[in-house]
């Protein structure tokens, strides 16, 4: 892992594009294949990629374990939160129509938020799982 | 509420009950995962568990008042959207699960502190809440695929809970359960997929009408077979029960209590829902002898599993085999497809939950003080823990079916149903298998009361705390209260049975 | 017809890979083959006009699953031991399921036809309504996030449940550097 | 005859994959292999759902100018969920395998059961498996 300067530089160059691609997949999910789940997986892949090239501990300096673990419940909480919000506004659970005066935009608004929830949970979970497996070590 | 301009209304608690029943534990689980302190997570789980019966009872009340409640998730009308469909039958199951959850939670604190390392306790309660959420979700939903998703939520959390047992064999138990449970769930999905390909819908109610139109075509029949086998794996219907004994024996005490009292019941409910609501109008179950098959397997479970239970050296394993046998009673009642039989099966759902809950709470208490539930290690322990063992004996009497206990009520209904069906010998079989229960409960009683305590037992100084004894005795009292005054449980079970039977087609009379 | 042909070729390859997976004893090979299997099935999904699913299967089946399994092989071992006894029972179980499935699927509507129940009952309603009601042209996203949004909540909950379960099983809090708070 | 083959080839292969997956699960004692088999079993179900949704000559269900025939979106949504459920199960299973390997020193079911599951086994030795 000493002489792989090219690998490291290319990784650093690639990572922003990976994250940008994830955002594209996320927000363009309304118009083309993709969405929160796929974007979450790509974000997690970027972190895993970083960890493979630079090692586990440098990566955990940037994305700490506790942060990844926090993302897991946070996403589900956002998702159910949207449900409770629509409920409080008088619609049924996850009935997005009340989120805006025009139902069409209200739907889009609701969809964006729940996709954020999925993205959060999925990326957090995938990163945490990777950390958990990687941190296990071959011998006790 | 269909799409279209929607005015901002106001929150109506009574209308939102079905969603709250499932969404609250899910949200609480995320909170419990964030706090990372075992005590606070327990408090969150306790609060949620205590609020669940309130919602469930209100729902049951609503079904009595206004009949079937249809709740449209996201405001989309079924079958476009997912529907929560609450009738007396599933409200009844919701009440059972949530009451058990509410009783288990106060008990849980001490055993979890003993079983689970401190840094994992909050996650453990998270898993419990997700399991509760999954079980409630399966029960309340009116959509076949949604039921699968929640089945997996409850299963995955169950595997994780079982694997946290102190014994390393808990890991193997969890792994085997994971394999068999996933095969079961996948078979269920195959069945649903075949139905979907034939009808184009996933909504129970919609499916029911469309299958009645299709009649007994081959994919429909194959779907029935796949769903039956898949759910039987989840139910642990004999001979697909291999995962259950080890899972219950090696899981942490709290998981054993909770799962033994609830998990298999929900799978049974789902199977009954499929048989009666989906296949009922087409009258396929009875005309293709599926009920006879279930009857034979139930009988086999009642005898073989009870018999195996007699030879167990580990009390929790013994009770687990007894659970397999008791599941046989429930499915026996269902196989009659008659008012009395179904009532018997459904009332045994709640009765078995109470008595097994009490029994496993007692073994959990033994585990906490004696560190083992092997029969040899428990000699004379009744002298040290008289209150726990008294609860064990009383719940055991109920398991045997002594008059005045809930076990007797269930067996009374089942026996009457056998006579009604013109198969009196079944009543005799029910009695005979109860006698086997006398043997295995008797063995435990003999060891704990009449043998000299071992040095390890001598070292036990005190009973378990009141927070554990109280829930345990609450279950025992329920075993006797509903045994003497069975109106509440039996009448509700009878209304639930009516719901299921009302769906059966009038093409033939069904059943035997 | 060419669509159907590509579909059939890919499916045949899939079956061939599956035979390889069944027969291989080297677990490393098994994992790689199952990765190829996932890519192939993702291609089949593309042919079946399901790009969303294909994308997910490629990233999940060939990506995450393969990485996790390779990780586990690194932690455990890479060769499967050959059992001393051969049993025909598993074969009969598989054959029985196969027979049951043949029985069940032989009356299903033929592949690719537009007039089968699933293409006449609920499915077309989504295609007709989705854009009008949600403004989302990708109907899969509209159904996923809105019409059946509750299933997707369940899906997120499944991921969350598995994640917490794995953390409980595998995480070691004590180790320095593993936890941001515990560092130093 | 040829038409029948084209019509049911998807289902036929799906059934083959399903049976093969189930066979691995039932027949093999190696835990990782079992999980791979379970994966095959689950993956084959995806085809069972997706195949009927395809309309020959159609396009993916993304509305746009010039397209009229679309595949049925509902199976896609269901299978997206099923894939996620599948990988979640696989990940949890693999985590269990890692722990079992640490506790028992093997990932072969037969070796664990030969030790006897009722007798209390000796303390685990954490031998690293050979490559």
């Amino acid at each position: 892992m000493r002489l792989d300067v090219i690998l490291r530089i290319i990784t650093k160059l690639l990572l922003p594009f990976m994250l940008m691609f994830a955002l594209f997949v996320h927000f363009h999910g309304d118009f083309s294949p993709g969405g929160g789940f796929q974007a979450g997986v790509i974000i997690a892949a970027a972190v895993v990629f970083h960890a493979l090239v630079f090692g586990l501990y440098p990566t955990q300096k940037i994305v700490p374990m506790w942060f990844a673990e926090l993302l897991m419940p946070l996403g589900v909480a956002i998702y159910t939160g949207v449900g409770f919000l629509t409920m409080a506004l008088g619609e049924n659970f996850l009935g997005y129509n009340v989120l805006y005066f025009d139902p069409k935009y209200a739907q889009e608004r609701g969809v964006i938020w729940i996709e954020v929830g999925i993205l959060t949970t999925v990326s957090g979970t995938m990163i945490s799982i990777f950390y958990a497996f990687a941190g296990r070590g071959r011998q006790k | 509420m269909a799409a279209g301009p929607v005015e901002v209304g106001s929150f109506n608690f009574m209308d939102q009950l079905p969603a709250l029943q499932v969404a609250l534990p899910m949200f609480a689980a995320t909170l419990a995962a964030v706090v990372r302190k075992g005590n606070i997570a327990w408090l969150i789980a306790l609060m949620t568990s205590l609020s669940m019966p309130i919602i469930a009872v209100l729902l049951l009340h609503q079904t009595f008042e206004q009949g079937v409640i249809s709740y449209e998730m996201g405001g989309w009308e079924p079958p476009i959207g997912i529907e929560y469909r609450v009738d007396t039958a599933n409200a009844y199951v919701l009440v059972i699960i949530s009451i058990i959850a509410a009783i288990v939670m106060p008990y849980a604190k001490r055993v979890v502190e003993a079983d689970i390392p401190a840094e994992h306790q909050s996650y453990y309660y998270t898993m419990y809440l997700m399991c509760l959420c999954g079980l409630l979700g399966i029960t309340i939903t009116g959509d076949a695929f949604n039921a699968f998703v929640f089945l997996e939520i409850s299963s995955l959390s169950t595997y994780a809970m079982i694997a946290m047992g102190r014994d390393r064999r808990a890991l193997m138990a969890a792994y085997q359960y994971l394999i068999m449970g996933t095969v079961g769930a996948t078979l269920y999905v195959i069945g649903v997929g075949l139905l979907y390909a034939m009808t184009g819908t996933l909504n129970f109610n919609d499916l029911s009408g469309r299958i009645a139109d299709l009649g007994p075509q081959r994919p429909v029949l194959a779907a029935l077979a796949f769903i039956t086998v898949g759910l039987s794996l989840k139910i642990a219907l004999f001979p697909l029960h291999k995962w259950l004994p080890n899972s219950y024996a090696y899981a942490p005490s709290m998981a054993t209590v909770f799962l033994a009292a609830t998990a298999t019941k929900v799978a049974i409910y789902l199977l009954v829902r499929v048989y009666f609501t989906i296949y009922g109008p087409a009258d396929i179950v009875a005309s293709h002898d599926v009920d006879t098959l279930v009857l034979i397997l139930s009988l086999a479970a009642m005898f073989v599993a009870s018999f195996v239970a007699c030879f167990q050296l580990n009390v929790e394993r013994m009770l687990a085999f007894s659970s397999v046998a008791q599941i046989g009673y429930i499915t026996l009642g269902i196989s009659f497809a008659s008012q009395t039989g179904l009532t018997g099966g459904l009332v045994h759902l709640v009765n078995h939950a109470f008595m097994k809950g009490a029994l496993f709470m007692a073994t959990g208490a033994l585990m906490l003080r004696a560190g083992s539930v092997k029969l040899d290690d428990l000699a004379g322990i009744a002298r040290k823990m008289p209150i726990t063992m008294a609860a064990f004996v009383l719940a055991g009497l109920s398991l045997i079916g002594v008059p005045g206990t809930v076990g007797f009520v269930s067996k009374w209904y089942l026996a009457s149903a056998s006579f009604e069906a013109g198969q009196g010998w079944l009543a005799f079989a029910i009695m005979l298998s109860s006698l086997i229960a006398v043997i295995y409960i008797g063995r435990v009683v003999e060891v704990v009361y009449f043998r000299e305590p071992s040095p390890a037992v001598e070292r036990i100084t005190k009973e378990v705390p009141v927070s554990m004894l109280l829930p345990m005795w609450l279950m025992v009292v329920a075993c006797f209260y509903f045994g003497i005054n069975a109106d509440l449980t039996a009448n509700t079970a009878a209304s639930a049975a009516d719901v299921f039977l009302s769906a059966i087609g009038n093409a033939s009379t069904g059943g035997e | 017809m060419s669509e159907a042909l590509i579909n059939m070729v890919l499916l045949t390859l899939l079956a061939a890979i599956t035979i390889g997976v069944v027969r291989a004893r080297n677990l490393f090979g098994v994992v790689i083959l199952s990765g190829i299997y996932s890519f192939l099935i993702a291609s089949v999904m593309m042919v079946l006009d399901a790009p969303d699913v294909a994308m997910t299967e490629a990233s999940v089946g060939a990506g995450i699953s393969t990485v996790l399994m390779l990780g586990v092989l690194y932690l455990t071992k890479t060769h499967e031991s050959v059992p001393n006894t051969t049993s025909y029972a598993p074969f009969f179980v598989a054959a029985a399921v196969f027979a049951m499935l043949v029985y069940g699927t032989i009356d299903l509507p033929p592949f690719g036809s537009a007039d089968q129940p699933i293409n006449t009952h609920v499915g077309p309603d989504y295609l007709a309504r989705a854009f009008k009601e949600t403004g989302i042209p990708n109907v899969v996203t509209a159904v996923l996030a809105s019409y059946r949004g509750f299933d997707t909540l369940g899906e997120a909950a499944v991921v969350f449940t598995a994640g917490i379960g794995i953390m409980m099983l595998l995480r070691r809090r004590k180790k320095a550097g593993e936890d941001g708070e515990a560092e130093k | 005859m040829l038409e029948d083959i084209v019509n049911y080839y998807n289902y036929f292969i799906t059934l083959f994959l399903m049976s093969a997956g189930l066979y691995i699960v039932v027949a093999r004692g190696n835990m990782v292999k079992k999980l791979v088999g379970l994966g095959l079993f689950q993956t084959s179900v995806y085809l069972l759902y997706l195949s009927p949704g395809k309309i020959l000559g159609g396009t993916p269900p993304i509305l746009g100018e010039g397209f009229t025939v679309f595949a049925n979106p509902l199976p896609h949504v269901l299978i997206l969920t099923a894939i996620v459920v599948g990988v979640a199960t696989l990940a949890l299973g693999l985590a269990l395998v890692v722990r079992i390997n640490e506790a028992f020193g093997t990932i072969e079911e037969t070796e664990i059961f030969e030790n006897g599951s009722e007798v209390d086994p000796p303390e685990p030795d954490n031998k690293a498996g050979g490559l």
Side-chain angles (χ1 to χ4, degrees):
Chain A
M1 295 288 262
R2 294 276 156 341
L3 299 169
D4 44 10
V5 182
I6 296 173
L7 189 64
R8 281 159 185 258
I9 290 175
I10 289 182
T11 307
K12 286 209 163 158
L13 285 175
L14 268 179
L15 279 175
F17 288 103
M18 282 181 85
L19 294 176
M20 215 139 86
F21 181 60
L23 290 181
F24 168 79
V25 168
H26 180 89
F27 287 106
H28 214 255
D30 288 2
F31 309 100
S32 61
F37 183 83
Q38 291 88 340
V41 172
I42 294 169
I43 289 180
V47 174
V48 171
F49 186 37
H50 189 272
L52 289 179
V53 174
F54 295 97
L56 193 59
Y57 295 130
T59 310
Q60 286 186 336
K61 285 253 163 36
I62 304 168
V63 186
M65 184 78 177
W66 63 266
F67 181 70
E69 273 185 60
L70 183 68
L71 290 181
M72 291 196 274
L74 188 65
V76 178
I78 292 174
Y79 206 140
T80 40
V82 173
F84 286 134
L85 182 67
T86 59
M87 231 183 218
L89 293 174
E91 244 285 14
N92 278 357
F93 195 69
L94 296 175
Y96 310 132
N97 283 349
V98 285
L99 294 177
Y100 198 67
F101 58 83
D102 181 350
K104 210 161 160 176
Y105 292 105
Q107 285 287 336
E108 276 184 11
R109 194 175 272 205
V111 168
I112 293 270
W113 276 108
I114 64 120
E115 293 265 14
V116 167
I118 300 173
L119 174 105
T120 314
T121 289
V122 170
S123 56
T125 306
M126 295 302 164
I127 295 169
S128 306
I129 291 177
F130 173 74
Y131 282 172
F133 275 96
R136 201 64 193 171
R138 197 158 180 172
Q139 255 110 10
K140 224 174 195 171
Chain B
M1 270 173 274
V6 175
E7 282 158 32
V8 174
S10 59
F11 174 65
N12 186 339
F13 181 69
M14 294 309 275
D15 288 347
Q16 302 295 339
L17 287 174
L20 285 173
Q21 180 93 72
V22 178
L24 268 185
M26 194 185 282
F27 189 70
T30 63
L31 286 182
V34 172
V35 295
R36 307 211 177 164
K37 289 271 187 299
N39 287 340
I40 303 173
W42 173 76
L43 204 64
I44 294 170
L46 179 73
M47 287 305 165
T48 317
S49 304
L50 290 178
S51 66
M52 286 297 107
I54 302 172
I55 297 179
V57 168
L58 285 174
L59 275 173
L60 183 66
H61 181 70
Q62 278 188 8
T63 62
F64 280 132
E65 299 267 298
Q66 27 177 297
V68 180
I69 307 165
S70 168
Y71 182 88
E72 294 163 358
M73 274 295 162
W76 302 112
E77 77 284 2
I80 292 286
I82 292 170
E83 182 192 21
Y84 266 13
R85 203 175 170 81
V86 191
D87 50 30
T88 309
N90 55 1
Y92 169 72
V93 181
L94 288 176
V95 170
I96 300 175
I97 300 165
S98 46
I99 284 184
I100 296 290
I103 300 178
V104 168
M105 261 345 266
Y107 171 90
K109 189 159 189 293
R110 293 302 292 266
V111 281
V112 168
E113 277 168 5
D115 284 340
I116 311 293
E119 74 261 29
H120 287 146
Q121 281 175 15
S122 65
Y123 279 179
Y124 191 77
Y125 289 116
T126 308
M127 289 291 98
Y128 156 78
L129 283 167
M130 288 313 288
C131 187
L132 178 64
C133 161
L135 295 174
L136 294 169
I138 301 166
T139 312
I140 201 170
T141 192
D143 188 280
F145 199 82
N146 194 244
F148 162 71
V149 174
F150 279 83
L151 190 69
E152 284 295 330
I153 293 177
S154 70
S155 304
L156 286 176
S157 47
T158 306
Y159 309 145
M161 282 203 282
I162 291 171
M164 292 310 284
R166 276 192 281 188
D167 195 308
R168 67 179 192 174
R169 279 166 292 181
L171 294 168
M172 265 320 279
Y175 176 84
Q176 286 185 309
Y177 186 18
L178 182 134
I179 296 288
M180 295 190 78
T182 308
V183 169
T186 310
L187 289 173
Y188 171 79
V189 175
I190 294 174
V192 171
L194 289 173
L195 287 183
Y196 175 63
M198 290 306 284
T199 60
T201 182
L202 294 161
N203 185 285
F204 283 156
N205 215 26
D206 200 15
L207 271 172
S208 138
R210 294 185 147 250
I211 287 175
D213 294 342
L214 286 173
Q217 291 192 29
R218 292 209 280 190
V220 176
L221 296 179
L224 179 65
F226 279 108
I227 292 176
T228 302
V229 176
L231 289 179
S232 297
L233 269 163
K234 283 278 169 198
I235 294 171
L237 182 63
F238 186 86
L240 301 170
H241 65 282
K242 291 277 190 298
W243 58 267
L244 187 141
N246 283 337
S247 301
Y248 284 10
Y250 302 127
S253 308
M254 175 220 166
T256 308
V257 176
F258 181 65
L259 297 174
T262 56
T264 49
K265 315 293 189 282
V266 170
I268 292 174
Y269 157 78
L270 189 56
L271 189 67
V272 177
R273 178 62 75 186
V274 170
Y275 278 5
F276 291 93
T277 303
I278 296 187
Y279 281 93
D283 201 32
I284 284 170
V285 174
S287 56
H288 288 80
D289 287 333
V290 181
D291 53 347
T292 317
L293 180 74
V294 174
L295 178 92
I296 293 166
L297 292 181
S298 309
L299 276 178
M302 282 157 54
F303 283 95
V304 180
S306 300
F307 194 66
V308 175
C310 295
F311 295 96
Q312 294 304 314
L313 302 170
N314 176 320
V315 179
E316 285 193 342
R317 248 178 99 86
M318 180 198 91
L319 291 177
F321 274 106
S322 148
S323 278
V324 177
Q326 299 287 322
I327 289 162
Y329 288 113
I330 302 174
T331 47
L332 177 73
I334 291 157
S335 74
F336 289 127
S338 67
Q339 167 69 33
T340 323
L342 206 52
T343 307
L346 291 173
V347 86
H348 199 51
L349 273 186
V350 57
N351 292 347
H352 180 240
F354 281 133
M355 52 209 196
K356 265 299 149 48
L359 285 169
F360 275 118
M361 278 180 170
T363 57
L366 295 178
M367 190 77 188
L368 187 70
R369 285 290 181 249
S372 161
V373 285
K374 289 220 196 68
L375 212 46
D376 297 338
D377 299 341
L378 296 177
I381 202 166
R383 293 178 207 179
K384 296 288 180 179
M385 304 173 69
I387 311 175
T388 304
M389 285 322 297
F392 186 94
V393 172
L394 291 177
L397 288 177
S398 183
L399 191 71
I400 294 164
V402 174
T405 64
V406 284
F408 180 73
V409 175
S410 315
K411 280 166 195 172
W412 177 260
Y413 273 100
L414 292 175
S416 327
S418 341
F419 283 115
E420 272 175 28
Q423 310 218 16
W425 61 278
L426 278 174
F428 180 70
I430 292 166
M431 227 176 71
L432 204 65
S433 77
S434 308
L435 288 180
I436 308 181
V438 177
I439 299 174
Y440 59 75
I441 293 292
R443 258 178 87 223
V444 180
V445 171
E446 194 264 327
V447 170
V448 298
Y449 276 96
F450 303 112
R451 287 205 191 154
E452 282 305 309
S454 63
V457 170
E458 285 289 1
R459 276 198 293 278
I460 298 170
T461 50
K462 55 178 194 279
E463 261 288 357
V464 288
V466 181
S467 68
M468 289 172 69
L469 289 174
L470 215 57
M472 195 190 303
W473 275 90
L474 203 59
M475 294 266 201
V476 174
V477 168
C479 285
F480 281 85
Y481 178 78
F482 293 118
I484 295 159
N485 183 4
D487 285 352
L488 185 62
T489 49
N491 288 349
T492 317
S495 333
D498 282 336
V499 170
F500 286 127
L501 290 169
S502 66
I504 290 273
N506 19 13
S508 81
T509 45
E512 267 72 18
Chain C
M1 199 64 204
S2 65
E3 262 182 317
L5 198 67
I6 297 171
N7 180 37
M8 285 172 73
V9 171
L10 285 172
L11 286 170
T12 313
L13 282 173
L14 209 52
I17 295 281
T18 309
I19 295 172
V21 174
V22 174
R23 293 187 56 86
R25 291 279 172 188
N26 184 322
L27 292 174
F28 189 72
V30 168
V31 171
I32 298 301
L33 279 176
S34 81
I36 298 172
Y37 173 93
S38 284
F39 267 123
L40 270 174
I41 212 161
S43 319
V44 175
M45 286 163 177
M46 275 313 287
V47 177
L48 294 177
D49 289 338
D52 278 276
V53 188
M55 194 171 164
T56 312
E57 174 62 26
S59 62
V60 165
I64 295 172
S65 302
T66 311
V67 167
L68 285 181
M69 282 199 274
L70 288 177
V72 170
L73 290 189
Y74 172 72
L75 293 173
T76 56
K77 64 168 196 173
T78 56
H79 210 275
E80 184 186 359
S81 54
V82 184
N84 310 329
T85 52
T86 46
S87 166
Y88 292 101
F91 186 77
F92 284 121
V93 172
V97 171
F98 187 76
M100 195 68 223
L101 281 163
V102 169
Y103 177 84
T105 49
I106 209 141
D107 277 353
L108 283 183
F111 173 69
S113 60
D115 55 353
Q116 49 183 317
I118 83 162
N119 294 332
T120 54
H121 186 39
V122 176
D125 294 351
Y126 291 125
L127 291 167
R129 296 169 53 167
F131 191 68
K132 252 185 291 173
E133 289 176 352
T134 66
I136 298 171
N138 184 354
V139 186
V140 175
T141 303
V143 178
L144 181 93
S146 188
Y147 294 102
R148 290 186 74 88
F150 194 67
D151 259 358
T152 311
L153 173 60
E155 171 192 321
V158 166
V159 173
F160 166 65
T161 309
I164 297 284
I166 291 166
M167 289 302 110
M168 223 163 43
L169 284 169
L170 291 184
R171 187 189 50 184
R172 294 201 180 107
R173 269 251 165 114
K174 299 280 139 49
K175 218 166 161 186
E178 273 213 349
D179 197 323
E181 298 151 317
E183 244 178 353
K184 291 281 151 63
Chain D
M1 185 62 205
L2 188 68
E3 200 176 341
D4 276 350
I5 293 175
V6 176
N7 282 346
Y8 291 99
Y9 198 71
N10 269 51
Y11 294 124
F12 182 74
I13 295 289
T14 307
L15 307 190
F16 175 74
L17 302 182
M18 251 174 219
S19 317
L22 194 64
Y23 173 78
I24 297 177
V25 173
V26 183
R28 295 308 173 82
N30 183 292
M31 295 183 189
V32 175
K33 182 88 180 243
K34 252 187 161 56
L35 286 173
V36 172
L38 200 63
L40 285 188
F41 188 46
Q42 289 177 308
T43 319
S44 57
V45 180
Y46 309 162
L47 289 182
L48 181 73
Y49 273 75
L50 290 176
S51 297
K54 161 81 180 168
I55 298 171
L56 284 174
T59 53
I62 298 169
L63 305 176
E65 294 290 315
F67 301 110
T68 48
V69 182
F70 301 103
N72 189 337
L74 184 53
H76 301 186
V77 174
L78 303 179
I79 292 314
L80 279 173
T81 307
I83 290 176
V84 176
V85 169
V87 73
T89 313
L90 177 77
L92 193 65
L94 288 173
L96 280 170
V97 171
V98 169
R99 284 290 303 273
I100 288 171
N101 186 54
E102 285 175 3
F104 292 86
T106 177
I107 54 167
E108 299 286 338
E109 275 189 343
T110 45
E111 288 172 28
I112 291 171
F113 290 128
E114 271 163 21
N115 295 343
S117 60
E118 256 311 273
V119 203
D120 274 316
E123 277 302 298
D125 52 333
N126 283 290
K127 59 171 182 238
L131 258 171

